[in-house]
Amino acid sequence: MIHFDSDYMEGAHPKVMQRLLETNLEQTPGYGKDSYCEQAKTLIRKACGNDTLDIHFLVGGTQANTIVIDALLNHHEGVLAAETAHINVHESGAIESCGHKVLQLPSHAGKVDAGEVQEFITKFYEDETYEHMVAPGMLYISYPTEYGTLYTREELSRLHQICRNANIPLYIDGARLGYGLASNASDITISMLPALCDIFYIGGTKVGAMFGECIVANNGLLKHFFPLIKQHGALMAKGRLLGIQFSTLFTDGLYMNIAKHAIEMAMIIKNGFISNGYSPFIDSPTNQQFFTLPNALIDYLSSFATFEIWGNKGEHETTVRFVTSWATQKEHVELLIGKLNSYSNR
Amino acid sequence: MIHFDSDYMEGAHPKVMQRLLETNLEQTPGYGKDSYCEQAKTLIRKACGNDTLDIHFLVGGTQANTIVIDALLNHHEGVLAAETAHINVHESGAIESCGHKVLQLPSHAGKVDAGEVQEFITKFYEDETYEHMVAPGMLYISYPTEYGTLYTREELSRLHQICRNANIPLYIDGARLGYGLASNASDITISMLPALCDIFYIGGTKVGAMFGECIVANNGLLKHFFPLIKQHGALMAKGRLLGIQFSTLFTDGLYMNIAKHAIEMAMIIKNGFISNGYSPFIDSPTNQQFFTLPNALIDYLSSFATFEIWGNKGEHETTVRFVTSWATQKEHVELLIGKLNSYSNR
Amino acid sequence: MIHFDSDYMEGAHPKVMQRLLETNLEQTPGYGKDSYCEQAKTLIRKACGNDTLDIHFLVGGTQANTIVIDALLNHHEGVLAAETAHINVHESGAIESCGHKVLQLPSHAGKVDAGEVQEFITKFYEDETYEHMVAPGMLYISYPTEYGTLYTREELSRLHQICRNANIPLYIDGARLGYGLASNASDITISMLPALCDIFYIGGTKVGAMFGECIVANNGLLKHFFPLIKQHGALMAKGRLLGIQFSTLFTDGLYMNIAKHAIEMAMIIKNGFISNGYSPFIDSPTNQQFFTLPNALIDYLSSFATFEIWGNKGEHETTVRFVTSWATQKEHVELLIGKLNSYSNR
Amino acid sequence: MIHFDSDYMEGAHPKVMQRLLETNLEQTPGYGKDSYCEQAKTLIRKACGNDTLDIHFLVGGTQANTIVIDALLNHHEGVLAAETAHINVHESGAIESCGHKVLQLPSHAGKVDAGEVQEFITKFYEDETYEHMVAPGMLYISYPTEYGTLYTREELSRLHQICRNANIPLYIDGARLGYGLASNASDITISMLPALCDIFYIGGTKVGAMFGECIVANNGLLKHFFPLIKQHGALMAKGRLLGIQFSTLFTDGLYMNIAKHAIEMAMIIKNGFISNGYSPFIDSPTNQQFFTLPNALIDYLSSFATFEIWGNKGEHETTVRFVTSWATQKEHVELLIGKLNSYSNR
């Protein structure tokens, strides 16, 4: 069996494991007050081209989203997000459990439309009863989105401008940030992000780390964030584990290099299906590939590979998702496409 | 100026005021442990034809919705409701502030569709990732809805059956319950409600009381509700104020009688507009009447009457709402329609 | 039977009832946007000698405490209060339900000690682990306290100075404010309060209103308070009810006049017990009187009067509380003390 | 420099690291649905002598406390705990952020007294106003306590009986469980715990794991716990990391063996100070040792060792804490005591 279910099926990149092993018996102070965290922050500030950035390390993505959103919203505010956003669908109500509504916008292959964001905000304040309604207090987007799609630099700029005009922060969920930046379709780099939004996180769990996400905020945005992390039960006693991992990922371009590998593997899959006559369900340039396939083909592929059924099963055809990662082996991808080619040529 | 803005523009029905005055200097124990509350509960249990009902009095509608929903949902559950539901739109995020998501269903003139409710629940449990999602934990509907429409007895039965099958309670927001029950289009009575749902509230604020809502729950549904009321800051020190008002409203059929008056007034308005060639925006059989009117007519009517602009103003036409209540004077309604007739006959 | 259980056993002062009756059928906009609320605000600003004060009307005391504290605290902050404070003991965890800890200080007959407040704050920031602890975010006191005692002007000034130095607001729960200000032992007036604290509320429910509390805040302290009121289910549809009541109470000195009556009645009780040889359990100069009495005397008094057992019943003696109010009848007080005199002279 | 600051200064026990390395590139399903988690659960159920136990893995201690307490309490309930309890002092208000009060009991060297627990519960329900107060909904204790002390089996039995009588669960915070069970003063084993309480957690972070805590609950106690974990942002994508660590710790008695080492090291420190004439501040039989030492001695020790100042610095003497762990080197302990001996013999 070969596996394309998700990008969190393995442990950590070998270099990350090696550093964890090398430092294992060193003694450091707890709660992220160690030199490895400092080192990682320095490396990330450098990669982002801004040495004033406020950086915090957390364990997981839902945790990062919840704490950031809890930190930034006022009581009467909610977070604008696509209806397909992870925070709206797959976090078991984490945002609401902190008291805040997800204000749903239409999803366009996982993306929000700047015009619709602006329209929501404009209509909100035009409504005479707006003080009885949940105010738009920030905008959440993901890069890449839950459907593997990417915003262009121009789109991000426009969203950010709308947010600035409305005096609300723009937050980018970067659970798969590396796989977005490494895509051939991306026209941005990590160093552009601090100017394109107010706060984002660099996903580690899915991109080479054993676990860990790195929140990067413009200076002054987050207040009293340390006790809030603790209050959410998200403060690691051995904080250095996060520092060690992120400093490794941001040394010698490791983060981007391993992300590029995942993209190359994804493109082999994508092109393989296309060349066999299947059109993508969504045209994703990143590490998640969605195809609507005949159920017979799905049955055949399932005999030697695992992947995810996306949504409900159809009568004749069903949409499926193939995911690659830093750990995906080229032989597995070639095996998949080889068998697909044979199947088509029966 | 004559006013049709809302059904909470006056104080209380004179009989309610009179009883408040008569009892004003009596001394009673606090927090609803007085004989007036007991008396009101007895009268309401009698009207509902069920002497085991659990009854609690609260001050306002958002308060009632929030506390009931907070009481009934488990951490991981949300409340199903039409996207137009008051709890989803006009309660400043009160439900979310208690940690719960409003799971939005399409609105059909303010109503949810039983088939769509069933489909939501079915699909939810078919989804392999459902434990990462907010579970449907109860169903909220309003009677009449925010658009003045009514469910039939058959529709209520079907919704209740779906809820029973899913083992979740059905809750009816009755902020305007009297105006629903008194409508000619209604095929239910208050005594049917305990069998048609699990919990509902009888709106007082809009139907003759100075303030007050009466929660009626099937026995055993609400646990530790008294401290929850207190925790929400909703426990009146002088609880008897609510008992006195509701016992008055449920003596000699006052509640239904004054509701019927509001319906009669609303029908004069409805028929007046229709006979002048305007079609209702929504065909409401209750005390709220919605018409999409030419802006010129709206300007004319605004010269002597107030009413609500519903949604955003259109270029040529705009939807407006006229509301009647127990206190609406027949002369005012006749003046409105008289002037409308003259305007049309210019 | 005569009753001294509490100060919320009757309805409203007759002048308040009269105004509610006179205005009953007037039509006004909802949610406190009416002229009566404006008028009440003007009168209260005048009484407080400051026309920039931010004023909001709410229904009850627990509601007022909860919303004010929820509004003023940051996530990682708690509210300093005496361990006997109403918010710490008798509000069913309302403060915690909003996410905040009550940081308990020793109670000195219901009062906090300025030195102990300062010590708490100083020690907190001296602790190296303070970011793992709940920060003191505001100070709550009551005037009069739950034990009927009063802070002197000097004590209030010192508490306020400590709060200002710590950059946290001082909040005064004035559920019985009138009975504090009207006491002969008080050396402050309502016009001094805006300078002696940052925010306080004027209790109506216990001092002549049917219900209602009036929050008075220094300008700029409360942000987005209207939607927060709504979110807490505390926004009255017929907001004018609160405006009418408070404008009546603040016309022709009614609020203070009726409070003085309660104090006179309380002093008759206090002096009656003292002259019969009983020492007060707490030396209260306000409308609550606490005495530890022999159980036999309690049994005798209970044959014709009701009052509250304070704490647990003792073997030989028990502490009891007698409460007077604007509505207490002089004959009742004289009857109580007359019978006490007879009992003593047996 | 040698370090005795805490028991979380290193990474993981080498055997744990080795297993993480060996399994690093295996592919497993996410969210704890892998075979390593199953294996760990089987081993722990076996160690606890009960194959029906409900087991969940989490990342950290504050997280475990917060989610367990959030899961078990009803809205109107709080958690009984010693005033020195970690949840009351050092979790940044995590419990309150979930809406619940910590009901403080006196601390006796970190322990609660059964008689005082019973008295709290009895008095609570005797109070006529108890429905206005936060109800005792569960009891939290730690084993060992934050002061390194242990409950006897008899004491645990009595606490559990009191809880059963009150129909509330007893929860044991086992952040340092190994160091309690491995103490010579302990008269319990892990297999007794399921009968001595309702739910406990086995601390991994401080006892050999890189990170991780294992919640062990009697069957049926926790409802819908999986989505609650997700909602708290505490669900690891790569759940197998926790399974691998705990299965290693519960193979061949590793958990208890490494805990015994820490106790041996702690006893060398304890006896060293005692033999030099210093009495323990608290007589701890576990891995945390507290001594009140002259400031001059503290200065001397600080020249080559780090340890924690406990509380505020005194004028002449200060209390300090020395902590050992599975990773403490015998040479370091011997160096500490050797230098202490020399210092005393100057």
Side-chain angles (χ1 to χ4, degrees):
Chain A
M1 272 291 173
I2 54 178
H3 302 289
F4 303 96
D5 309 49
S6 75
D7 32 20
Y8 43 84
M9 301 190 77
E10 292 87 0
H13 188 277
K15 287 196 182 165
V16 169
M17 283 307 289
Q18 185 188 334
R19 281 302 288 151
L20 287 171
L21 206 60
E22 287 167 3
T23 57
N24 187 47
L25 293 179
E26 287 182 22
Q27 291 181 302
T28 59
Y31 305 118
K33 313 278 189 193
D34 62 279
S35 63
Y36 293 108
C37 285
E38 274 319 300
Q39 187 186 332
K41 290 179 185 181
T42 302
L43 288 166
I44 287 167
R45 287 191 186 105
K46 199 170 163 193
C48 293
N50 181 329
D51 61 7
T52 68
L53 295 169
D54 188 14
I55 293 181
H56 300 267
F57 300 109
L58 292 173
V59 172
T62 295
Q63 193 177 72
N65 288 335
T66 307
I67 302 177
V68 165
I69 291 169
D70 196 25
L72 292 180
L73 291 183
N74 210 315
H75 290 98
H76 68 301
E77 295 176 334
V79 52
L80 288 163
E83 60 186 344
T84 52
H86 203 257
I87 57 167
N88 192 43
V89 182
H90 276 117
E91 300 192 350
S92 292
I95 306 310
E96 290 83 4
S97 83
C98 295
H100 298 290
K101 195 179 189 74
V102 180
L103 299 165
Q104 300 173 32
L105 296 167
S107 163
H108 304 277
K111 293 161 64 178
V112 297
D113 175 77
E116 289 169 350
V117 173
Q118 181 60 66
E119 189 189 5
F120 187 103
I121 296 169
T122 304
K123 278 200 173 168
F124 178 83
Y125 288 105
E126 279 175 12
D127 193 313
E128 283 185 15
T129 65
Y130 78 86
E131 285 197 304
H132 297 241
M133 294 157 70
V134 177
M138 64 187 290
L139 173 60
Y140 163 101
I141 61 173
S142 42
Y143 187 92
T145 70
E146 295 75 5
Y147 286 90
T149 51
L150 295 176
Y151 292 88
T152 64
R153 185 177 179 181
E154 174 61 29
E155 287 170 335
L156 292 174
S157 285
R158 196 170 157 216
L159 287 171
H160 198 204
Q161 189 58 51
I162 289 167
C163 287
R164 267 197 301 253
N165 292 347
N167 203 22
I168 63 176
L170 170 57
Y171 166 54
I172 299 180
D173 176 338
R176 296 185 170 98
L177 185 63
Y179 302 137
L181 297 174
S183 165
N184 297 326
S186 173
D187 60 356
I188 67 166
T189 63
I190 199 168
S191 64
M192 296 176 187
L193 279 176
L196 287 170
C197 68
D198 299 283
I199 176 168
F200 64 100
Y201 83 81
I202 304 169
T205 300
K206 290 170 173 153
V207 194
M210 185 183 268
F211 59 86
E213 321 296 329
C214 172
I215 294 171
V216 182
N218 283 322
N219 193 15
L221 183 67
L222 299 174
K223 317 266 190 217
H224 306 294
F225 202 65
F226 185 92
L228 189 62
I229 291 173
K230 178 72 184 172
Q231 188 175 83
H232 276 269
L235 187 65
M236 285 211 106
K238 300 174 188 169
R240 104 279 195 70
L241 297 172
L242 294 159
I244 292 163
Q245 295 185 80
F246 274 97
S247 65
T248 307
L249 289 169
F250 278 82
T251 295
D252 297 336
L254 182 62
Y255 188 75
M256 288 305 296
N257 289 341
I258 63 178
K260 282 204 181 81
H261 169 77
I263 298 301
E264 285 165 18
M265 298 303 101
M267 291 307 113
I268 295 174
I269 294 175
K270 182 176 186 176
N271 294 329
F273 276 98
I274 290 175
S275 70
N276 278 287
Y278 302 103
S279 303
F281 172 65
I282 285 167
D283 187 11
S284 158
T286 63
N287 75 316
Q288 298 184 86
Q289 293 299 322
F290 301 85
F291 281 86
T292 304
L293 303 178
N295 289 345
L297 173 55
I298 290 173
D299 289 345
Y300 170 67
L301 296 174
S302 298
S303 67
F304 63 92
T306 62
F307 44 87
E308 206 174 316
I309 301 298
W310 197 255
N312 292 346
K313 206 148 189 176
E315 204 178 342
H316 303 297
E317 290 186 329
T318 303
T319 301
V320 296
R321 182 184 73 157
F322 295 88
V323 188
T324 64
S325 79
W326 59 272
T328 302
Q329 297 177 46
K330 195 167 185 185
E331 307 90 87
H332 289 184
V333 168
E334 287 173 346
L335 180 65
L336 174 72
I337 299 305
K339 293 221 173 196
L340 172 66
N341 292 340
S342 309
Y343 179 88
S344 299
N345 297 331
R346 276 171 319 180
Chain B
M1 273 292 175
I2 54 179
H3 302 289
F4 304 96
D5 310 48
S6 75
D7 32 19
Y8 42 86
M9 300 190 78
E10 292 88 359
H13 188 276
K15 287 197 182 164
V16 170
M17 283 307 288
Q18 184 188 335
R19 282 301 288 152
L20 286 171
L21 207 61
E22 287 167 3
T23 57
N24 187 47
L25 293 179
E26 288 182 22
Q27 291 181 302
T28 59
Y31 305 116
K33 313 279 189 192
D34 62 279
S35 63
Y36 292 108
C37 285
E38 273 320 299
Q39 185 186 334
K41 289 179 186 182
T42 301
L43 288 165
I44 287 167
R45 288 193 186 104
K46 199 171 164 192
C48 293
N50 181 331
D51 60 9
T52 69
L53 295 169
D54 188 14
I55 293 180
H56 301 268
F57 299 109
L58 292 173
V59 173
T62 295
Q63 194 176 71
N65 288 336
T66 306
I67 302 177
V68 164
I69 291 170
D70 195 25
L72 293 179
L73 291 184
N74 209 315
H75 290 99
H76 68 302
E77 295 176 333
V79 53
L80 289 162
E83 59 186 345
T84 52
H86 204 257
I87 56 167
N88 192 43
V89 182
H90 277 116
E91 301 192 351
S92 293
I95 306 309
E96 291 82 5
S97 83
C98 295
H100 298 291
K101 194 178 190 75
V102 180
L103 299 165
Q104 300 173 31
L105 296 166
S107 163
H108 304 277
K111 293 162 63 178
V112 297
D113 175 76
E116 289 169 348
V117 173
Q118 181 61 67
E119 188 190 5
F120 187 103
I121 296 170
T122 304
K123 277 199 173 167
F124 178 82
Y125 287 105
E126 279 175 11
D127 192 313
E128 283 184 14
T129 66
Y130 79 86
E131 286 196 304
H132 297 241
M133 294 157 70
V134 177
M138 64 186 289
L139 173 60
Y140 164 102
I141 61 173
S142 43
Y143 188 93
T145 69
E146 294 74 7
Y147 286 90
T149 52
L150 294 176
Y151 292 89
T152 65
R153 185 178 178 180
E154 175 61 29
E155 288 170 332
L156 291 173
S157 285
R158 197 169 157 217
L159 286 172
H160 198 203
Q161 189 57 52
I162 289 167
C163 287
R164 267 198 301 254
N165 293 347
N167 201 23
I168 63 175
L170 170 57
Y171 167 54
I172 299 179
D173 176 338
R176 295 185 169 99
L177 185 62
Y179 302 138
L181 297 175
S183 164
N184 296 326
S186 173
D187 60 356
I188 67 167
T189 63
I190 198 167
S191 65
M192 296 175 188
L193 278 177
L196 286 170
C197 68
D198 299 283
I199 176 167
F200 63 100
Y201 83 81
I202 304 169
T205 301
K206 290 170 172 154
V207 194
M210 185 182 268
F211 59 87
E213 322 297 329
C214 173
I215 293 171
V216 182
N218 283 322
N219 194 15
L221 183 67
L222 298 174
K223 317 266 189 217
H224 306 294
F225 202 65
F226 185 92
L228 190 62
I229 292 173
K230 179 70 184 172
Q231 187 174 83
H232 277 268
L235 188 65
M236 284 211 105
K238 300 175 188 169
R240 106 279 192 74
L241 296 172
L242 293 160
I244 291 163
Q245 294 185 79
F246 274 97
S247 66
T248 307
L249 289 170
F250 279 83
T251 294
D252 297 337
L254 182 62
Y255 187 76
M256 288 305 297
N257 290 340
I258 63 179
K260 281 204 182 78
H261 169 77
I263 299 300
E264 286 165 17
M265 297 302 103
M267 291 306 114
I268 295 173
I269 294 175
K270 181 177 186 173
N271 294 330
F273 276 98
I274 289 175
S275 70
N276 277 287
Y278 302 104
S279 304
F281 172 66
I282 286 168
D283 186 10
S284 159
T286 64
N287 75 316
Q288 298 184 88
Q289 294 298 322
F290 302 84
F291 280 85
T292 304
L293 303 178
N295 289 345
L297 172 55
I298 290 173
D299 290 345
Y300 171 67
L301 297 175
S302 298
S303 67
F304 62 91
T306 63
F307 44 88
E308 205 172 319
I309 301 298
W310 196 252
N312 292 346
K313 205 147 190 178
E315 204 177 342
H316 303 296
E317 292 186 328
T318 303
T319 302
V320 296
R321 183 184 74 157
F322 296 87
V323 188
T324 65
S325 79
W326 61 271
T328 301
Q329 297 177 46
K330 197 168 184 182
E331 307 90 87
H332 289 182
V333 168
E334 288 173 346
L335 179 66
L336 174 73
I337 299 304
K339 293 222 174 195
L340 172 67
N341 292 339
S342 310
Y343 179 87
S344 299
N345 297 331
R346 279 167 317 181
Chain C
M1 273 291 173
I2 54 179
H3 302 289
F4 304 97
D5 308 49
S6 77
D7 32 20
Y8 42 85
M9 301 190 78
E10 291 87 359
H13 187 276
K15 288 196 180 164
V16 170
M17 283 307 289
Q18 185 188 333
R19 282 300 288 152
L20 287 172
L21 207 60
E22 287 168 3
T23 58
N24 187 47
L25 293 179
E26 289 182 21
Q27 291 181 302
T28 59
Y31 305 117
K33 313 278 189 193
D34 62 278
S35 63
Y36 292 109
C37 284
E38 273 320 300
Q39 185 185 333
K41 289 178 186 183
T42 302
L43 288 166
I44 287 168
R45 287 193 186 104
K46 199 170 164 194
C48 293
N50 181 331
D51 60 8
T52 69
L53 295 169
D54 188 14
I55 293 180
H56 301 268
F57 300 109
L58 293 173
V59 173
T62 295
Q63 196 177 70
N65 288 335
T66 306
I67 302 176
V68 165
I69 291 169
D70 196 25
L72 293 180
L73 291 184
N74 210 313
H75 290 99
H76 69 301
E77 295 176 332
V79 52
L80 288 163
E83 59 187 345
T84 52
H86 203 258
I87 56 167
N88 192 43
V89 181
H90 277 116
E91 300 192 351
S92 293
I95 306 309
E96 290 83 5
S97 83
C98 294
H100 298 291
K101 194 178 191 73
V102 180
L103 300 165
Q104 301 173 30
L105 296 166
S107 163
H108 304 277
K111 294 161 64 178
V112 296
D113 174 77
E116 288 169 350
V117 173
Q118 182 60 67
E119 188 190 5
F120 187 102
I121 296 169
T122 303
K123 277 199 173 167
F124 178 82
Y125 287 105
E126 278 175 11
D127 192 313
E128 282 184 15
T129 66
Y130 79 86
E131 285 196 305
H132 297 241
M133 295 156 69
V134 176
M138 65 186 292
L139 173 60
Y140 164 101
I141 60 174
S142 42
Y143 188 92
T145 69
E146 294 76 5
Y147 286 90
T149 52
L150 295 175
Y151 291 88
T152 64
R153 184 177 180 182
E154 173 61 28
E155 287 170 334
L156 291 174
S157 285
R158 197 169 155 216
L159 287 172
H160 199 203
Q161 190 57 51
I162 289 167
C163 287
R164 268 197 300 252
N165 292 347
N167 203 22
I168 62 176
L170 170 58
Y171 167 53
I172 299 179
D173 176 337
R176 297 185 169 100
L177 184 63
Y179 302 139
L181 297 175
S183 165
N184 297 327
S186 173
D187 60 356
I188 66 167
T189 63
I190 199 168
S191 65
M192 296 175 189
L193 278 176
L196 287 170
C197 68
D198 299 283
I199 176 168
F200 64 100
Y201 83 81
I202 304 169
T205 301
K206 291 171 172 152
V207 194
M210 185 183 267
F211 59 86
E213 322 297 329
C214 172
I215 293 171
V216 182
N218 283 322
N219 193 14
L221 183 66
L222 299 174
K223 318 263 190 219
H224 306 294
F225 203 65
F226 186 92
L228 190 62
I229 291 172
K230 180 70 183 171
Q231 187 175 83
H232 277 269
L235 188 65
M236 284 211 105
K238 300 174 188 170
R240 104 274 195 77
L241 296 173
L242 293 160
I244 292 163
Q245 295 186 78
F246 274 97
S247 66
T248 307
L249 288 171
F250 278 82
T251 296
D252 297 336
L254 183 61
Y255 187 75
M256 287 306 296
N257 289 340
I258 63 178
K260 283 205 181 78
H261 169 76
I263 299 300
E264 286 165 16
M265 297 302 103
M267 291 306 113
I268 295 174
I269 293 176
K270 181 178 186 174
N271 295 329
F273 276 98
I274 289 176
S275 70
N276 278 286
Y278 301 103
S279 304
F281 172 65
I282 286 168
D283 187 10
S284 158
T286 63
N287 75 316
Q288 299 184 86
Q289 293 298 323
F290 301 85
F291 281 86
T292 304
L293 303 178
N295 289 344
L297 173 55
I298 291 173
D299 289 346
Y300 171 67
L301 297 174
S302 298
S303 67
F304 63 92
T306 62
F307 44 88
E308 205 174 316
I309 300 298
W310 196 254
N312 291 346
K313 206 148 189 178
E315 205 178 341
H316 303 296
E317 291 186 329
T318 303
T319 302
V320 295
R321 184 184 74 157
F322 296 87
V323 188
T324 64
S325 80
W326 60 271
T328 302
Q329 297 177 45
K330 196 167 186 185
E331 306 90 88
H332 288 182
V333 168
E334 289 173 345
L335 179 66
L336 174 72
I337 299 304
K339 292 224 174 193
L340 172 67
N341 292 340
S342 309
Y343 179 86
S344 299
N345 298 330
R346 277 170 319 180
Chain D
M1 272 291 173
I2 53 178
H3 302 289
F4 304 96
D5 309 48
S6 76
D7 31 20
Y8 42 86
M9 300 191 78
E10 291 87 0
H13 188 276
K15 288 196 181 164
V16 170
M17 283 306 290
Q18 185 188 335
R19 283 301 289 152
L20 287 171
L21 207 61
E22 286 167 2
T23 57
N24 187 47
L25 293 179
E26 288 181 24
Q27 291 182 303
T28 59
Y31 305 117
K33 313 278 189 192
D34 62 280
S35 64
Y36 292 108
C37 284
E38 273 320 300
Q39 186 186 332
K41 289 179 186 182
T42 302
L43 288 165
I44 286 167
R45 287 192 186 106
K46 199 171 163 194
C48 294
N50 181 331
D51 61 7
T52 68
L53 295 169
D54 189 13
I55 293 181
H56 300 268
F57 300 109
L58 293 173
V59 172
T62 296
Q63 195 177 70
N65 287 335
T66 307
I67 303 177
V68 165
I69 291 169
D70 196 24
L72 293 180
L73 291 183
N74 211 314
H75 290 98
H76 69 302
E77 294 175 334
V79 51
L80 288 163
E83 59 186 345
T84 52
H86 204 256
I87 56 167
N88 192 45
V89 182
H90 277 116
E91 300 191 350
S92 293
I95 307 309
E96 290 82 5
S97 83
C98 294
H100 298 290
K101 195 179 190 73
V102 180
L103 300 165
Q104 300 173 30
L105 295 167
S107 163
H108 304 277
K111 294 162 63 179
V112 297
D113 174 77
E116 288 169 351
V117 172
Q118 182 60 66
E119 188 189 4
F120 187 102
I121 297 169
T122 304
K123 277 199 172 168
F124 178 82
Y125 287 105
E126 278 175 10
D127 192 313
E128 283 185 13
T129 65
Y130 79 86
E131 285 197 304
H132 297 241
M133 295 156 70
V134 176
M138 66 186 289
L139 173 60
Y140 164 101
I141 61 174
S142 42
Y143 187 92
T145 68
E146 294 75 6
Y147 286 91
T149 52
L150 295 175
Y151 292 89
T152 64
R153 185 177 179 181
E154 175 60 30
E155 287 170 334
L156 291 173
S157 286
R158 198 171 155 213
L159 287 171
H160 198 203
Q161 190 57 51
I162 289 167
C163 287
R164 268 197 300 252
N165 292 348
N167 203 22
I168 62 176
L170 170 58
Y171 167 54
I172 299 179
D173 176 338
R176 296 185 170 99
L177 185 62
Y179 302 138
L181 297 174
S183 165
N184 296 326
S186 173
D187 60 355
I188 68 167
T189 63
I190 199 168
S191 64
M192 296 175 188
L193 278 176
L196 287 171
C197 69
D198 299 283
I199 177 167
F200 63 100
Y201 83 80
I202 303 170
T205 300
K206 290 171 173 152
V207 194
M210 186 183 266
F211 59 86
E213 323 296 328
C214 173
I215 293 172
V216 182
N218 283 322
N219 194 16
L221 183 66
L222 298 174
K223 318 264 190 218
H224 306 294
F225 202 65
F226 185 93
L228 190 62
I229 291 173
K230 180 71 184 170
Q231 188 174 82
H232 277 268
L235 188 65
M236 284 211 105
K238 300 174 187 168
R240 105 274 196 74
L241 296 173
L242 294 160
I244 291 164
Q245 294 186 80
F246 273 98
S247 65
T248 306
L249 289 170
F250 278 82
T251 295
D252 297 336
L254 183 61
Y255 188 75
M256 287 306 296
N257 289 340
I258 63 179
K260 281 204 181 80
H261 169 77
I263 298 301
E264 285 165 18
M265 297 304 101
M267 290 307 112
I268 294 174
I269 294 175
K270 181 177 186 175
N271 294 328
F273 276 98
I274 289 176
S275 71
N276 277 288
Y278 302 103
S279 304
F281 172 64
I282 285 168
D283 187 10
S284 157
T286 64
N287 74 316
Q288 297 184 86
Q289 293 299 322
F290 301 85
F291 281 86
T292 305
L293 303 177
N295 289 346
L297 173 55
I298 291 172
D299 289 346
Y300 170 66
L301 297 174
S302 299
S303 67
F304 63 92
T306 62
F307 44 87
E308 205 174 317
I309 301 297
W310 197 254
N312 292 345
K313 207 149 187 175
E315 205 178 342
H316 303 296
E317 292 186 329
T318 303
T319 301
V320 295
R321 182 183 75 158
F322 296 88
V323 188
T324 64
S325 80
W326 61 271
T328 302
Q329 297 178 45
K330 196 168 184 185
E331 307 89 88
H332 289 183
V333 169
E334 286 173 347
L335 179 66
L336 174 73
I337 299 304
K339 292 222 175 195
L340 172 67
N341 292 339
S342 308
Y343 179 86
S344 299
N345 297 330
R346 279 168 320 180

